[in-house]
Amino acid sequence: MRDKKSLATLRQAIDSLDDQILDILNNRATLAMEVGKLKSAARGDFHVPSREREIYDRLTARNRGPFPNEGLKSVFREIISASLALEAPMKVAFLGPKATFSHLATMQHFGYSAELVPQKSIPAVFEEVEKGRATYGVVPVENSTEGVVSYTLDMFMESELKINAEVLLEVHHDLLSRTGRLEDIKKVYSHPQPIAQCRKWLEENLPNVPLVDVASTAVAAQIVSEDYTAAAIASELAATMYDLKLVRTRIEDQVNNFTRFLIIGKKLTEKSRDDKTSLMFAVKDEVGILYRMLEPFAKRGINLSKIESRPMKKKAWEYMFFLDLAGHISDPVIVEAIEELKQCCQFVKVLGSYPRAK
Protein backbone atom coordinates (compact mmCIF):
# COMPACT_ATOMS: atom_id res chain seq x y z
CA MET A 1 0.00 0.00 0.00
CA ARG A 2 2.87 2.38 0.85
CA ASP A 3 4.52 1.66 -2.56
CA LYS A 4 1.26 2.41 -4.39
CA LYS A 5 0.87 5.70 -2.53
CA SER A 6 4.47 6.60 -3.32
CA LEU A 7 3.99 5.77 -7.01
CA ALA A 8 0.79 7.79 -7.21
CA THR A 9 2.47 10.75 -5.51
CA LEU A 10 5.41 10.64 -7.91
CA ARG A 11 3.13 10.45 -10.94
CA GLN A 12 1.13 13.40 -9.64
CA ALA A 13 4.35 15.38 -9.24
CA ILE A 14 5.38 14.48 -12.81
CA ASP A 15 1.96 15.57 -14.14
CA SER A 16 2.34 18.89 -12.35
CA LEU A 17 5.79 19.42 -13.90
CA ASP A 18 4.44 18.47 -17.34
CA ASP A 19 1.74 21.13 -16.97
CA GLN A 20 4.43 23.69 -16.12
CA ILE A 21 6.54 22.62 -19.09
CA LEU A 22 3.50 23.02 -21.37
CA ASP A 23 2.87 26.54 -20.10
CA ILE A 24 6.54 27.43 -20.52
CA LEU A 25 6.60 26.06 -24.08
CA ASN A 26 3.62 28.20 -25.04
CA ASN A 27 5.24 31.26 -23.45
CA ARG A 28 8.40 30.53 -25.42
CA ALA A 29 6.38 30.12 -28.62
CA THR A 30 4.73 33.51 -28.04
CA LEU A 31 8.15 35.14 -27.66
CA ALA A 32 9.39 33.37 -30.79
CA MET A 33 6.46 34.78 -32.75
CA GLU A 34 7.33 38.28 -31.50
CA VAL A 35 10.93 37.73 -32.59
CA GLY A 36 9.60 36.69 -36.01
CA LYS A 37 7.64 39.94 -36.33
CA LEU A 38 10.72 42.00 -35.48
CA LYS A 39 12.83 40.05 -37.98
CA SER A 40 10.17 40.55 -40.64
CA ALA A 41 10.02 44.29 -40.02
CA ALA A 42 13.81 44.52 -40.19
CA ARG A 43 13.94 42.08 -43.14
CA GLY A 44 16.34 39.91 -41.15
CA ASP A 45 16.99 36.19 -41.49
CA PHE A 46 14.46 33.99 -39.69
CA HIS A 47 16.96 31.19 -39.19
CA VAL A 48 20.39 31.91 -37.70
CA PRO A 49 22.56 28.75 -37.27
CA SER A 50 24.97 30.49 -34.89
CA ARG A 51 22.06 31.33 -32.57
CA GLU A 52 21.02 27.67 -32.46
CA ARG A 53 24.57 26.67 -31.57
CA GLU A 54 24.59 29.25 -28.75
CA ILE A 55 21.42 27.74 -27.30
CA TYR A 56 22.76 24.17 -27.40
CA ASP A 57 26.16 25.13 -25.99
CA ARG A 58 24.69 27.22 -23.17
CA LEU A 59 22.18 24.58 -22.10
CA THR A 60 24.56 21.59 -22.27
CA ALA A 61 27.17 23.53 -20.29
CA ARG A 62 24.55 24.36 -17.66
CA ASN A 63 23.07 20.86 -17.51
CA ARG A 64 23.93 19.03 -14.28
CA GLY A 65 21.94 15.88 -15.09
CA PRO A 66 20.66 13.30 -14.77
CA PHE A 67 18.95 14.27 -18.06
CA PRO A 68 21.58 13.44 -20.76
CA ASN A 69 23.00 16.14 -23.01
CA GLU A 70 22.13 14.23 -26.20
CA GLY A 71 18.53 13.99 -25.04
CA LEU A 72 18.60 17.68 -24.19
CA LYS A 73 19.76 18.54 -27.71
CA SER A 74 17.01 16.38 -29.24
CA VAL A 75 14.32 18.05 -27.12
CA PHE A 76 15.47 21.57 -27.91
CA ARG A 77 15.97 20.73 -31.58
CA GLU A 78 12.24 20.06 -31.79
CA ILE A 79 11.39 23.12 -29.68
CA ILE A 80 13.48 25.32 -31.99
CA SER A 81 12.05 23.61 -35.09
CA ALA A 82 8.47 24.19 -33.95
CA SER A 83 9.26 27.79 -32.95
CA LEU A 84 10.81 28.54 -36.35
CA ALA A 85 7.73 27.12 -38.04
CA LEU A 86 5.64 29.66 -36.09
CA GLU A 87 7.94 32.50 -37.20
CA ALA A 88 7.93 31.53 -40.89
CA PRO A 89 7.43 28.30 -42.87
CA MET A 90 10.77 26.65 -43.64
CA LYS A 91 11.17 24.37 -46.64
CA VAL A 92 14.30 22.20 -46.81
CA ALA A 93 15.35 20.21 -49.90
CA PHE A 94 17.43 17.06 -49.45
CA LEU A 95 18.82 14.23 -51.55
CA GLY A 96 15.94 11.77 -51.44
CA PRO A 97 13.92 9.74 -51.39
CA LYS A 98 12.62 9.54 -47.83
CA ALA A 99 14.23 7.06 -45.41
CA THR A 100 17.72 7.66 -46.82
CA PHE A 101 20.59 8.77 -44.60
CA SER A 102 20.27 12.25 -46.14
CA HIS A 103 16.70 12.28 -44.84
CA LEU A 104 17.91 11.26 -41.38
CA ALA A 105 20.57 14.00 -41.40
CA THR A 106 17.96 16.58 -42.44
CA MET A 107 15.64 15.57 -39.61
CA GLN A 108 18.56 15.57 -37.17
CA HIS A 109 19.39 19.19 -38.04
CA PHE A 110 15.99 20.76 -38.75
CA GLY A 111 13.61 18.66 -36.63
CA TYR A 112 10.15 17.48 -37.63
CA SER A 113 8.40 20.86 -37.96
CA ALA A 114 10.25 21.96 -41.10
CA GLU A 115 8.82 20.96 -44.49
CA LEU A 116 11.32 18.40 -45.83
CA VAL A 117 11.22 17.95 -49.62
CA PRO A 118 13.12 15.03 -51.24
CA GLN A 119 14.95 15.61 -54.54
CA LYS A 120 16.18 13.09 -57.10
CA SER A 121 19.76 14.35 -57.37
CA ILE A 122 22.37 16.61 -55.77
CA PRO A 123 22.06 19.21 -58.61
CA ALA A 124 18.30 19.26 -58.00
CA VAL A 125 18.88 20.13 -54.33
CA PHE A 126 21.10 23.05 -55.36
CA GLU A 127 18.51 24.19 -57.91
CA GLU A 128 15.66 24.23 -55.36
CA VAL A 129 17.64 26.59 -53.12
CA GLU A 130 19.01 28.74 -55.96
CA LYS A 131 15.50 29.35 -57.32
CA GLY A 132 14.08 30.12 -53.88
CA ARG A 133 11.75 27.14 -53.74
CA ALA A 134 13.58 25.96 -50.59
CA THR A 135 15.31 27.94 -47.85
CA TYR A 136 18.05 25.35 -47.38
CA GLY A 137 19.38 22.21 -49.00
CA VAL A 138 21.09 19.17 -47.46
CA VAL A 139 23.68 17.21 -49.44
CA PRO A 140 26.29 14.57 -48.50
CA VAL A 141 29.91 15.61 -48.95
CA GLU A 142 32.07 12.80 -47.51
CA ASN A 143 32.06 9.50 -45.66
CA SER A 144 34.71 8.50 -43.14
CA THR A 145 35.15 5.11 -44.85
CA GLU A 146 34.60 5.79 -48.56
CA GLY A 147 35.78 9.39 -48.85
CA VAL A 148 34.45 12.42 -50.71
CA VAL A 149 31.17 12.74 -52.65
CA SER A 150 32.52 14.26 -55.87
CA TYR A 151 29.11 15.40 -57.21
CA THR A 152 28.71 17.79 -54.28
CA LEU A 153 32.18 19.35 -54.68
CA ASP A 154 31.63 19.73 -58.42
CA MET A 155 28.39 21.65 -57.83
CA PHE A 156 30.25 24.36 -55.92
CA MET A 157 32.27 25.11 -59.06
CA GLU A 158 29.07 26.38 -60.69
CA SER A 159 26.85 27.47 -57.80
CA GLU A 160 26.96 30.67 -55.73
CA LEU A 161 25.27 29.00 -52.74
CA LYS A 162 27.06 29.06 -49.39
CA ILE A 163 27.64 26.40 -46.75
CA ASN A 164 25.59 27.42 -43.70
CA ALA A 165 26.17 24.42 -41.43
CA GLU A 166 27.40 20.83 -41.36
CA VAL A 167 25.91 17.65 -39.90
CA LEU A 168 27.87 14.58 -38.82
CA LEU A 169 25.64 11.52 -38.92
CA GLU A 170 26.82 8.22 -37.44
CA VAL A 171 25.80 5.72 -40.09
CA HIS A 172 24.69 2.20 -39.22
CA HIS A 173 23.72 -0.18 -42.00
CA ASP A 174 21.09 -2.87 -41.39
CA LEU A 175 20.26 -5.83 -43.58
CA LEU A 176 16.48 -5.87 -44.17
CA SER A 177 14.10 -8.30 -45.86
CA ARG A 178 10.45 -9.36 -45.87
CA THR A 179 11.08 -12.65 -44.02
CA GLY A 180 13.93 -11.62 -41.73
CA ARG A 181 15.82 -14.86 -42.51
CA LEU A 182 19.38 -14.85 -43.86
CA GLU A 183 18.89 -18.17 -45.69
CA ASP A 184 16.09 -16.69 -47.88
CA ILE A 185 18.35 -14.01 -49.42
CA LYS A 186 19.25 -14.57 -53.09
CA LYS A 187 20.11 -10.94 -53.98
CA VAL A 188 21.13 -7.78 -52.08
CA TYR A 189 20.19 -4.25 -53.18
CA SER A 190 21.65 -0.94 -52.02
CA HIS A 191 23.42 2.25 -53.02
CA PRO A 192 27.09 1.64 -54.06
CA GLN A 193 28.51 3.39 -50.97
CA PRO A 194 26.69 1.26 -48.34
CA ILE A 195 27.63 -1.86 -50.30
CA ALA A 196 31.28 -0.79 -50.22
CA GLN A 197 31.04 0.00 -46.50
CA CYS A 198 29.70 -3.51 -45.79
CA ARG A 199 31.80 -5.49 -48.28
CA LYS A 200 33.74 -7.55 -45.74
CA TRP A 201 30.56 -8.60 -43.89
CA LEU A 202 28.85 -9.50 -47.17
CA GLU A 203 31.82 -11.61 -48.34
CA GLU A 204 31.84 -13.54 -45.06
CA ASN A 205 28.08 -14.04 -44.65
CA LEU A 206 26.63 -13.91 -48.19
CA PRO A 207 29.64 -14.86 -50.37
CA ASN A 208 27.75 -16.03 -53.46
CA VAL A 209 24.84 -13.60 -53.38
CA PRO A 210 24.74 -10.99 -56.20
CA LEU A 211 25.00 -7.34 -55.11
CA VAL A 212 22.87 -4.87 -57.08
CA ASP A 213 23.54 -1.11 -57.15
CA VAL A 214 20.49 1.16 -57.03
CA ALA A 215 19.97 4.93 -56.67
CA SER A 216 19.53 4.95 -52.88
CA THR A 217 19.03 2.81 -49.80
CA ALA A 218 15.35 3.81 -49.79
CA VAL A 219 14.91 2.58 -53.38
CA ALA A 220 16.55 -0.68 -52.29
CA ALA A 221 14.07 -1.03 -49.42
CA GLN A 222 11.16 -0.30 -51.76
CA ILE A 223 12.29 -3.02 -54.21
CA VAL A 224 12.77 -5.55 -51.42
CA SER A 225 9.31 -4.82 -49.99
CA GLU A 226 7.94 -6.60 -53.08
CA ASP A 227 10.49 -9.43 -53.26
CA TYR A 228 10.66 -12.15 -50.58
CA THR A 229 14.00 -13.48 -51.91
CA ALA A 230 15.91 -10.20 -51.73
CA ALA A 231 17.42 -8.01 -49.02
CA ALA A 232 18.33 -4.34 -48.74
CA ILE A 233 21.16 -2.58 -46.94
CA ALA A 234 19.39 0.43 -45.48
CA SER A 235 18.47 2.28 -42.30
CA GLU A 236 16.15 1.35 -39.46
CA LEU A 237 13.82 4.12 -40.66
CA ALA A 238 13.58 2.38 -44.06
CA ALA A 239 12.52 -0.83 -42.30
CA THR A 240 9.67 1.03 -40.61
CA MET A 241 8.54 2.85 -43.76
CA TYR A 242 8.59 -0.23 -46.01
CA ASP A 243 7.42 -2.86 -43.51
CA LEU A 244 10.64 -4.88 -43.57
CA LYS A 245 12.15 -7.16 -40.92
CA LEU A 246 15.64 -6.92 -39.52
CA VAL A 247 17.95 -9.72 -40.72
CA ARG A 248 21.14 -8.36 -39.15
CA THR A 249 21.94 -5.03 -37.52
CA ARG A 250 25.06 -2.87 -37.91
CA ILE A 251 26.75 -4.81 -40.68
CA GLU A 252 29.14 -1.95 -41.63
CA ASP A 253 32.81 -3.00 -41.62
CA GLN A 254 34.08 0.06 -39.74
CA VAL A 255 32.73 0.74 -36.25
CA ASN A 256 33.18 4.52 -36.51
CA ASN A 257 31.31 5.13 -39.75
CA PHE A 258 30.23 8.77 -40.19
CA THR A 259 28.87 10.72 -43.13
CA ARG A 260 29.26 14.48 -43.27
CA PHE A 261 26.42 16.52 -44.76
CA LEU A 262 26.40 20.19 -45.75
CA ILE A 263 23.53 22.63 -45.24
CA ILE A 264 23.51 25.03 -48.19
CA GLY A 265 21.76 28.41 -48.43
CA LYS A 266 22.03 31.79 -50.11
CA LYS A 267 23.80 33.78 -47.39
CA LEU A 268 26.92 33.60 -45.26
CA THR A 269 26.26 32.81 -41.61
CA GLU A 270 27.23 34.89 -38.62
CA LYS A 271 30.19 34.03 -36.46
CA SER A 272 29.75 31.53 -33.63
CA ARG A 273 32.16 30.40 -30.92
CA ASP A 274 33.61 27.54 -32.97
CA ASP A 275 33.56 27.91 -36.75
CA LYS A 276 34.93 26.26 -39.84
CA THR A 277 35.55 27.96 -43.20
CA SER A 278 35.55 26.21 -46.58
CA LEU A 279 37.41 27.55 -49.62
CA MET A 280 37.65 26.59 -53.29
CA PHE A 281 40.58 27.77 -55.40
CA ALA A 282 42.63 27.05 -58.52
CA VAL A 283 46.40 27.58 -58.43
CA LYS A 284 48.81 28.59 -61.16
CA ASP A 285 50.89 25.74 -62.58
CA GLU A 286 54.43 26.56 -61.41
CA VAL A 287 57.30 25.15 -59.33
CA GLY A 288 56.63 25.07 -55.57
CA ILE A 289 52.97 25.99 -55.89
CA LEU A 290 51.73 23.39 -53.38
CA TYR A 291 54.07 24.79 -50.75
CA ARG A 292 53.06 28.38 -51.52
CA MET A 293 49.32 27.68 -51.27
CA LEU A 294 49.70 26.18 -47.78
CA GLU A 295 52.26 28.67 -46.46
CA PRO A 296 49.78 31.54 -45.72
CA PHE A 297 47.93 29.27 -43.27
CA ALA A 298 50.95 27.51 -41.75
CA LYS A 299 52.83 30.66 -40.79
CA ARG A 300 49.71 32.10 -39.10
CA GLY A 301 49.01 28.92 -37.14
CA ILE A 302 45.68 28.27 -38.89
CA ASN A 303 44.63 24.64 -38.62
CA LEU A 304 43.66 22.97 -41.92
CA SER A 305 41.28 20.06 -41.34
CA LYS A 306 40.86 18.94 -44.95
CA ILE A 307 42.25 19.45 -48.45
CA GLU A 308 40.76 17.81 -51.53
CA SER A 309 41.50 18.18 -55.24
CA ARG A 310 39.13 17.80 -58.19
CA PRO A 311 40.00 17.97 -61.91
CA MET A 312 38.71 21.03 -63.74
CA LYS A 313 36.24 19.84 -66.38
CA LYS A 314 37.18 22.46 -68.97
CA LYS A 315 40.98 22.10 -68.76
CA ALA A 316 42.83 18.78 -68.85
CA TRP A 317 45.35 18.12 -66.07
CA GLU A 318 44.39 21.23 -64.10
CA TYR A 319 42.86 20.96 -60.66
CA MET A 320 40.53 22.73 -58.26
CA PHE A 321 41.33 22.55 -54.55
CA PHE A 322 38.86 22.46 -51.66
CA LEU A 323 40.11 23.47 -48.24
CA ASP A 324 38.54 23.38 -44.76
CA LEU A 325 40.15 25.49 -42.05
CA ALA A 326 39.44 26.45 -38.44
CA GLY A 327 37.97 29.94 -38.00
CA HIS A 328 35.43 32.36 -39.49
CA ILE A 329 35.84 34.43 -42.63
CA SER A 330 35.44 37.58 -40.51
CA ASP A 331 38.54 36.75 -38.40
CA PRO A 332 41.38 39.16 -39.35
CA VAL A 333 43.97 36.35 -39.46
CA ILE A 334 41.77 34.37 -41.91
CA VAL A 335 41.28 37.46 -44.09
CA GLU A 336 45.06 38.00 -44.22
CA ALA A 337 45.76 34.37 -45.13
CA ILE A 338 43.20 34.37 -47.94
CA GLU A 339 44.54 37.63 -49.37
CA GLU A 340 48.02 36.12 -49.48
CA LEU A 341 46.64 32.91 -51.02
CA LYS A 342 45.12 34.94 -53.86
CA GLN A 343 48.60 35.96 -55.00
CA CYS A 344 49.37 32.43 -56.22
CA CYS A 345 45.86 31.52 -57.42
CA GLN A 346 43.86 31.98 -60.58
CA PHE A 347 40.84 32.57 -58.33
CA VAL A 348 39.66 31.98 -54.74
CA LYS A 349 36.06 31.43 -53.69
CA VAL A 350 34.77 31.35 -50.10
CA LEU A 351 32.16 28.58 -49.87
CA GLY A 352 31.07 29.51 -46.37
CA SER A 353 31.86 29.91 -42.68
CA TYR A 354 29.67 27.89 -40.36
CA PRO A 355 29.48 26.32 -36.89
CA ARG A 356 31.63 23.22 -36.57
CA ALA A 357 29.59 20.04 -36.07
CA LYS A 358 29.99 18.33 -32.70
Side-chain angles (χ1 to χ4, degrees):
M1 183 67 70
R2 189 177 301 169
D3 289 341
K4 287 183 179 179
K5 275 190 175 181
S6 176
L7 182 60
T9 302
L10 290 171
R11 284 176 173 170
Q12 188 176 12
I14 289 173
D15 288 345
S16 177
L17 287 172
D18 286 344
D19 291 342
Q20 293 177 49
I21 291 171
L22 178 60
D23 291 339
I24 291 170
L25 285 174
N26 281 311
N27 289 336
R28 191 189 192 283
T30 301
L31 291 172
M33 292 171 70
E34 291 181 15
V35 168
K37 291 177 183 177
L38 291 174
K39 288 179 179 176
S40 181
R43 296 186 177 181
D45 295 331
F46 282 93
H47 182 243
V48 182
S50 58
R51 170 60 178 157
E52 282 192 24
R53 171 55 62 82
E54 287 176 7
I55 293 172
Y56 295 143
D57 288 349
R58 182 178 64 82
L59 292 173
T60 52
R62 191 166 179 243
N63 183 26
R64 296 180 180 177
F67 200 88
N69 276 338
E70 283 306 310
L72 189 70
K73 287 181 181 178
S74 296
V75 168
F76 273 87
R77 183 181 300 116
E78 294 308 319
I79 291 173
I80 292 170
S81 177
S83 298
L84 285 170
L86 291 171
E87 291 181 40
M90 184 187 294
K91 185 178 289 187
V92 182
F94 68 93
L95 178 61
K98 293 181 178 180
T100 58
F101 292 105
S102 292
H103 187 199
L104 289 171
T106 308
M107 290 191 294
Q108 176 177 308
H109 188 78
F110 289 100
Y112 288 86
S113 295
E115 183 182 352
L116 309 184
V117 186
Q119 302 298 317
K120 292 183 178 179
S121 66
I122 289 173
V125 176
F126 275 78
E127 184 179 356
E128 286 297 293
V129 182
E130 287 168 344
K131 293 188 174 181
R133 293 192 291 260
T135 309
Y136 295 106
V138 181
V139 289
V141 67
E142 63 178 322
N143 175 264
S144 58
T145 303
E146 290 302 304
V148 72
V149 179
S150 57
Y151 284 126
T152 298
L153 295 185
D154 289 345
M155 284 304 301
F156 283 112
M157 296 184 190
E158 306 169 9
S159 176
E160 293 303 315
L161 294 180
K162 302 298 182 184
I163 304 170
N164 287 176
E166 64 177 355
V167 180
L168 291 180
L169 182 71
E170 188 171 10
V171 175
H172 299 300
H173 296 303
D174 296 337
L175 190 66
L176 312 173
S177 75
R178 288 301 304 270
T179 68
R181 294 194 299 266
L182 190 68
E183 59 269 23
D184 293 338
I185 298 172
K186 308 301 179 187
K187 191 178 294 185
V188 175
Y189 293 88
S190 196
H191 185 272
Q193 279 219 349
I195 289 176
Q197 293 165 23
C198 302
R199 193 165 300 280
K200 183 178 177 181
W201 189 94
L202 291 167
E203 289 174 354
E204 291 177 355
N205 294 274
L206 295 168
N208 300 313
V209 173
L211 307 176
V212 183
D213 294 348
V214 291
S216 70
T217 53
V219 168
Q222 186 176 15
I223 293 171
V224 171
S225 68
E226 301 173 359
D227 186 347
Y228 282 78
T229 66
I233 301 173
S235 66
E236 188 176 349
L237 177 61
T240 302
M241 290 191 68
Y242 293 99
D243 193 27
L244 298 175
K245 293 181 179 179
L246 183 66
V247 182
R248 294 289 188 277
T249 186
R250 299 193 174 191
I251 66 169
E252 62 274 6
D253 297 332
Q254 299 296 324
V255 176
N256 296 315
N257 186 28
F258 286 84
T259 296
R260 179 185 174 212
F261 296 84
L262 299 179
I263 313 299
I264 53 175
K266 289 188 174 182
K267 298 180 180 180
L268 285 168
T269 59
E270 297 177 5
K271 185 176 180 177
S272 73
R273 295 179 181 178
D274 185 15
D275 290 303
K276 179 187 289 187
T277 294
S278 295
L279 306 175
M280 178 178 73
F281 57 90
V283 295
K284 301 170 186 176
D285 185 14
E286 56 190 40
V287 175
I289 192 63
L290 292 179
Y291 172 81
R292 288 180 59 201
M293 77 182 197
L294 297 176
E295 185 184 21
F297 306 102
K299 71 183 183 182
R300 290 176 175 85
I302 299 171
N303 183 40
L304 305 182
S305 57
K306 182 177 180 62
I307 184 166
E308 190 80 33
S309 64
R310 291 287 299 152
M312 295 180 69
K313 295 180 179 179
K314 296 180 181 179
K315 294 183 179 179
W317 310 115
E318 291 195 16
Y319 292 85
M320 193 79 67
F321 290 89
F322 294 84
L323 194 71
D324 289 344
L325 57 91
H328 193 274
I329 189 61
S330 63
D331 296 336
V333 68
I334 303 296
V335 174
E336 291 175 7
I338 292 175
E339 286 302 313
E340 185 174 337
L341 175 67
K342 288 179 180 178
Q343 297 174 17
C344 64
C345 290
Q346 295 172 330
F347 79 94
V348 178
K349 183 178 181 181
V350 177
L351 301 181
S353 289
Y354 46 94
R356 183 193 302 272
K358 293 183 179 179

